[in-house]
Amino acid sequence: GTPGPPPSRLAGLLAETMRGKDAEASAEAAREAALSRTDPSEPDPYVPLVLLAGMTAEGVEVTAVQVSGPQGPDKELHCPFGTVSAVASACEATADPLSALPGCLSGLRAQIGRLLPESEEPTAVLTYGTKEAQKDLSREVKRLLKKYGRDGKDDDDFDGWDEDIAIVPSSPECVSLGLAVLAASSHGRVRVVHSVKGTDGKYRPKSRQGVSVRDVSTCAVSVSFNYHGGDAGRWTSPRTVFDFDRRVPAGPYRVEFSAAECAAHARHGTETGDDSLEDEVALAESTKSLEGGRAIPQRESAAMALRFRVYQRTSRGGPWVKVGDDASPLTMEHSQRDGGVDGRGNLVAIESAVTELGLSPVGIITMNVTTNGETIVQATKSARNSKLMRYGTIAGLTLFIGGFLVKSFVEERVFERDTRRVLAYYKRAAPNSFHDGDERQARYLVWKYKGKKEALWRRLEAKYGVKVLNEWEWPEEEEEQGADGSEEAEDLDGEGDGSDGGGDEL
């Protein structure tokens, strides 16, 4: 096919730098392997750092990115690198962008030092915007880099930011063309063919997305709470949930609300004048004391008074800017009530809610509130019923298991008592016989006549002619008595004439 256009100055500079750094790393690995007499390990590929600087009449922005995955060109050389990962970004909206550039570039440099402490100096600075803006921007960046070089001349920990870093301008259409390429790549219109090793060990061509961009947040997001009906002076300090340079998309960040906890904050604020109760232990104890039916009025009042606010900060160290209207997460609209003058007459308090915050790749903040829709009274009743059911279940299981154990214990005691009764009877009614002292036979008879003990006693009395007494009713000494009865009875012990009777073989 026809060869594509030559690579741009920036692409050529990055590719040359990557080849040189990779060659140095391979040589160093080979030297270390030779000294240690081991096989050389393959070093990680070098990932260059590039600064993107742009300026308009409304402000300035500087972004640090890492590029990796050099790939062969397609027909129009859309994407010379497969992955572009943003590291940090600094921007400021101002009518004098050049005056804000030193602060943005210094802040970006410090942030890179924290995020990538082992990183080398940027390979290049790419400017974009109009030609006039890029000239002014390049001149100011060059001045700042010279200053950084002079300041770090005698510093052993100098990070290498100096005037030797190449400043590469771009065409005025660079931003619009880049957006077109990203859109085409995300829709599969720009793809790169590469070789993939299959399970059989052979390499086959396969297409993939032309470029993958990993963004970071260029803003910070925080939340604030008000437990006193939205009083302007009672808002809590903003709490950051998504900071600058956070990988996006981010979230969801969950914020859980409960009426009892809000009531604890409100009561503490009324007593002390504080905006909220910061002591976690005291908050937990106070929240627990406000649960249950007796504290329903306090929880309803606190739920109606709760306000929730989201802030956004677009520049480091800048002011927090309110985003959207204040939310009331612990309220919901009642379909049969009128909104009234203030528009809140149709709201009812609910027991709990969960708010989820998210941040999209383009900085859009999303908020989703989830609740089970139960009012505080309904939630209290449900909790009470659930508690009663739980206790009832525990009591029922306890009674069932306990009754079963008691029943088993009683039956065992009765079984042992009747066994001893049979043994005592044989000892008096048929002394020195085969069954006198035969505990196994006695236990068998008691088991066989379980639930029919009276029939057993009658048959024993009919056979031996001796009344069956309880174990403790027999006298200490008694004369031997005959066992002949006047009526024909079932041969219980098998001691008859040897015929097959209806008795048991004992």
Side-chain angles (χ1 to χ4, degrees):
T2 59
S8 64
R9 176 186 171 189
L10 177 62
L13 176 62
L14 294 177
E16 181 182 355
T17 302
M18 295 170 75
R19 286 193 296 269
K21 294 292 184 180
D22 289 342
E24 292 178 3
S26 298
E28 181 65 24
R31 284 194 296 268
E32 293 179 357
L35 293 175
S36 60
R37 298 180 181 275
T38 59
D39 294 333
S41 59
E42 184 177 354
D44 295 330
Y46 177 73
V47 180
L49 183 69
V50 181
L51 300 185
L52 310 178
M55 184 177 69
T56 65
E58 289 79 19
V60 62
E61 63 179 0
V62 186
T63 304
V65 300
Q66 288 181 315
V67 294
S68 59
Q71 53 195 10
D74 57 9
K75 292 183 179 180
E76 299 179 2
L77 196 65
H78 286 137
C79 310
F81 299 96
T83 303
V84 179
S85 299
V87 177
S89 179
C91 59
E92 185 172 343
T94 174
D96 187 7
L98 285 179
S99 64
L101 181 61
C104 290
L105 192 60
S106 298
L108 183 68
R109 181 187 179 192
Q111 186 69 1
I112 292 174
R114 288 190 293 268
L115 297 175
L116 302 173
E118 303 298 330
S119 174
E120 299 183 6
E121 71 277 4
T123 302
V125 178
L126 176 67
T127 61
Y128 54 92
T130 63
K131 290 184 178 181
E132 292 76 11
Q134 289 191 63
K135 289 180 181 179
D136 296 339
L137 190 60
S138 298
R139 184 168 53 251
E140 183 65 14
V141 169
K142 191 73 173 179
R143 185 186 69 82
L144 292 173
L145 291 177
K146 286 183 178 181
K147 179 178 181 301
Y148 295 156
R150 290 194 303 268
D151 295 342
K153 184 177 181 180
D154 299 326
D155 189 357
D156 294 337
D157 297 329
F158 181 54
D159 55 8
W161 289 48
D162 55 21
E163 66 273 14
D164 293 336
I165 299 176
I167 300 177
V168 181
S170 63
S171 65
E173 300 83 11
C174 176
V175 175
S176 57
L177 292 175
L179 288 174
V181 171
L182 288 178
S185 178
S186 65
H187 285 75
R189 305 296 178 85
V190 178
R191 291 186 174 273
V192 176
V193 178
H194 65 118
S195 298
V196 177
K197 187 176 181 180
T199 56
D200 55 358
K202 297 181 179 180
Y203 287 87
R204 294 178 175 84
K206 184 178 180 181
S207 64
R208 66 181 179 188
Q209 188 176 354
V211 63
S212 173
V213 178
R214 302 173 61 192
D215 295 313
V216 295
S217 173
T218 58
C219 64
V221 180
S222 65
V223 294
S224 181
F225 309 90
N226 191 306
Y227 304 100
H228 309 281
D231 187 353
R234 306 298 295 275
W235 286 93
T236 63
S237 300
R239 183 174 70 191
T240 302
V241 295
F242 302 126
D243 208 347
F244 285 98
D245 305 325
R246 169 72 179 267
R247 187 69 65 189
V248 290
Y253 179 85
R254 292 169 59 89
V255 183
E256 298 181 358
F257 299 95
S258 73
E261 185 174 324
C262 293
H265 285 292
R267 183 170 64 181
H268 177 76
T270 303
E271 295 174 353
T272 63
D274 296 338
D275 298 334
S276 61
L277 179 56
E278 300 297 334
D279 189 344
E280 295 292 338
V281 177
L283 177 61
E285 294 176 353
S286 182
T287 300
K288 187 174 181 180
S289 67
L290 290 168
E291 296 175 350
R294 295 183 179 180
I296 288 179
Q298 294 94 315
R299 298 207 305 277
E300 287 183 336
S301 176
M304 296 296 292
L306 173 66
R307 302 292 186 275
F308 177 69
R309 179 179 292 180
V310 180
Y311 291 102
Q312 187 179 39
R313 176 183 282 171
T314 57
S315 60
R316 302 176 189 273
W320 288 108
V321 180
K322 176 185 172 184
V323 178
D325 297 329
D326 296 337
S328 299
L330 291 181
T331 60
M332 66 178 184
E333 293 185 0
H334 196 291
S335 59
Q336 298 180 357
R337 291 186 182 181
D338 183 27
V341 179
D342 59 354
R344 296 180 59 87
N346 62 336
L347 298 181
V348 293
I350 58 178
E351 186 66 51
S352 62
V354 177
T355 298
E356 294 183 345
L357 294 175
L359 185 63
S360 72
V362 294
I364 297 177
I365 302 172
T366 59
M367 184 172 69
N368 181 38
V369 180
T370 305
T371 177
N372 58 7
E374 286 187 339
T375 64
I376 292 180
V377 176
Q378 291 173 339
T380 303
K381 290 181 179 179
S382 298
R384 185 184 298 116
N385 293 337
S386 177
K387 183 181 294 185
L388 291 175
M389 182 176 295
R390 183 170 64 253
Y391 289 158
T393 302
I394 294 174
L397 290 174
T398 302
L399 292 175
F400 174 77
I401 298 174
F404 180 79
L405 293 176
V406 170
K407 180 175 179 292
S408 300
F409 175 76
V410 171
E411 289 181 348
E412 182 66 21
R413 293 294 299 271
V414 171
F415 185 84
E416 296 295 336
R417 183 200 64 190
D418 291 340
T419 300
R420 293 194 300 270
R421 188 175 182 181
V422 172
L423 289 173
Y425 181 80
Y426 275 127
K427 184 177 182 180
R428 271 74 177 186
N432 301 322
S433 66
F434 182 76
H435 302 295
D436 182 10
D438 189 352
E439 183 178 356
R440 181 179 179 183
Q441 172 65 18
R443 294 178 69 88
Y444 170 73
L445 281 177
V446 173
W447 170 80
K448 180 179 180 181
Y449 285 91
K450 181 180 179 181
K452 302 180 293 182
K453 300 294 178 57
E454 295 301 325
L456 174 61
W457 309 143
R458 286 196 304 269
R459 292 179 178 180
L460 287 173
E461 290 174 355
K463 178 173 179 60
Y464 294 101
V466 179
K467 184 177 181 181
V468 180
L469 302 178
N470 290 315
E471 180 187 9
W472 61 86
E473 293 178 338
W474 293 100
E476 293 295 334
E477 294 181 358
E478 65 173 352
E479 299 179 354
E480 293 187 3
Q481 299 177 358
D484 297 335
S486 59
E487 58 179 315
E488 185 178 354
E490 180 184 1
D491 188 1
L492 297 177
D493 51 14
E495 292 183 343
D497 55 0
S499 61
D500 296 335
D504 301 305
E505 184 66 24
L506 305 180

